[in-house]
């Protein structure tokens, strides 16, 4: 009986923590659409410079990820 009560309490606790974390993440959103613009601008530049398709993809992914991380960084108050 004690194991069942402990299991239910643990499940409820993790559920509450999960919802609290999810709300905190959604509170920092919505994302700035400029990340997509920056990604496409970087990919366009890379194509103009003559990089191969895989490198263009890497540059676009890096640009988007960097922008997204800067937006969601608690240490960077500029966003």
């Amino acid at each position: 009986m004690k194991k069942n009560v402990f299991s239910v309490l643990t499940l409820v606790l993790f559920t509450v923590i999960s919802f609290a974390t999810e709300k905190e993440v959604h509170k920092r959103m919505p994302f700035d659409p400029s990340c997509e613009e920056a990604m496409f601008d970087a990919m366009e530049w890379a194509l103009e410079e003559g990089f191969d398709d895989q490198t263009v993809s890497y540059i676009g992914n890096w640009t988007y990820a960097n922008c997204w991380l800067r937006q969601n960084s608690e240490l960077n108050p500029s966003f």
Side-chain angles (χ1 to χ4, degrees):
M1 180 68 179
K2 287 182 180 181
K3 286 183 180 181
N4 290 338
V5 172
F6 180 74
S7 296
V8 169
L9 288 176
T10 304
L11 179 64
V12 170
L13 177 66
F14 285 132
T15 304
V16 169
I17 290 172
S18 174
F19 284 126
T21 304
E22 186 175 325
K23 285 189 175 199
E24 178 65 28
V25 168
H26 287 299
K27 190 169 40 173
R28 288 188 282 184
M29 294 178 189
F31 297 117
D32 185 3
S34 66
C35 286
E36 288 184 9
E37 293 173 18
M39 176 186 70
F40 288 121
D41 289 343
M43 291 173 74
E44 184 178 338
W45 169 83
L47 283 172
E48 289 173 358
E49 292 296 319
F51 289 105
D52 62 291
D53 290 342
Q54 187 64 47
T55 305
V56 170
S57 176
Y58 288 152
I59 290 171
N61 287 339
W62 181 88
T63 304
Y64 187 89
N66 188 39
C67 178
W68 185 86
L69 287 170
R70 285 188 302 128
Q71 283 183 357
N72 291 303
S73 175
E74 294 177 7
L75 299 176
N76 185 1
S78 65
F79 282 96

